[in-house]
């Protein structure tokens, strides 16, 4: 399953302690297959590479919790799968919004006006917060 490349327990121990050389070995072993996996969801090489890179970043941040290669592999593939599903859902929402805006020019105007009003409201709120004493601003 790992292409004939083996990562021994010493490398995994070093990885969990933050050794960058050990991380590189894990990265070199799993990055390409992870990109392939993500690419099957996204259909785009660049998005797949971004997903894999983000998963490795998350792995590095949580590296102390992994003591085996199967655990690392499972974490990476689950992370990429979830990121891809989130991206697909996001694209569906954006696509739906585009269809609605294209179907009705009035809807586009209403959409823009609504967001402009929200932005102006936030501007007023932040302006008022800025006038508060420092202790109150920190709380907010």
């Amino acid at each position: 399953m790992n292409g004939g490349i083996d990562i021994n327990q010493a490398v995994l121990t070093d990885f969990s302690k933050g050794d960058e050389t050990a991380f590189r070995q894990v990265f070199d072993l799993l990055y390409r297959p992870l990109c392939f996996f993500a690419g099957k969801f996204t259909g785009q090489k660049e998005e797949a590479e971004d997903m894999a890179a983000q998963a490795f970043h998350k792995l590095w941040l949580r590296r102390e919790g992994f003591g085996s290669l199967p655990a690392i592999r499972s974490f990476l593939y689950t992370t990429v799968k979830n990121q891809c599903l989130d991206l697909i859902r996001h694209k569906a929402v954006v696509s739906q919004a585009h269809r609605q805006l294209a179907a009705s020019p009035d809807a586009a105007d209403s959409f823009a006006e609504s967001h402009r009003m929200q932005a102006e409201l936030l501007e007023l709120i932040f302006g008022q917060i800025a006038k508060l004493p420092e202790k109150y601003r920190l709380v907010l």
Side-chain angles (χ1 to χ4, degrees), residues 21-125:
T21 302
F23 174 80
R24 186 66 190 184
Q25 288 181 327
V26 172
F27 181 88
D28 289 344
L29 176 65
L30 298 174
Y31 178 73
R32 285 186 181 191
L34 205 56
C35 287
F36 175 81
F37 177 72
K40 291 299 182 180
F41 282 92
T42 66
Q44 295 189 0
K45 180 182 178 189
E46 294 80 15
E47 285 181 342
E49 290 172 346
D50 287 346
M51 298 287 178
Q54 290 172 20
F56 273 101
H57 179 251
K58 290 177 182 181
L59 175 67
W60 179 253
L61 295 175
R62 295 174 177 89
R63 65 188 171 272
E64 294 174 356
F66 297 95
S68 71
L69 188 57
I72 291 171
R73 185 179 282 120
S74 176
F75 173 82
L76 288 170
Y77 280 92
T78 300
T79 300
V80 166
K81 178 193 74 169
N82 290 339
Q83 290 172 337
C84 289
L85 294 174
D86 288 345
L87 178 66
I88 291 166
R89 282 189 285 272
H90 173 73
K91 285 182 176 182
V93 168
V94 169
S95 178
Q96 177 66 19
H98 285 209
R99 282 193 300 276
Q100 287 175 346
L101 292 175
S104 169
D106 293 337
D109 290 341
S110 175
F111 179 82
E113 181 64 18
S114 172
H115 283 72
R116 185 188 62 77
M117 290 173 59
Q118 288 176 355
E120 288 177 1
L121 180 60
L122 283 174
E123 180 182 339
L124 289 171
I125 291 169

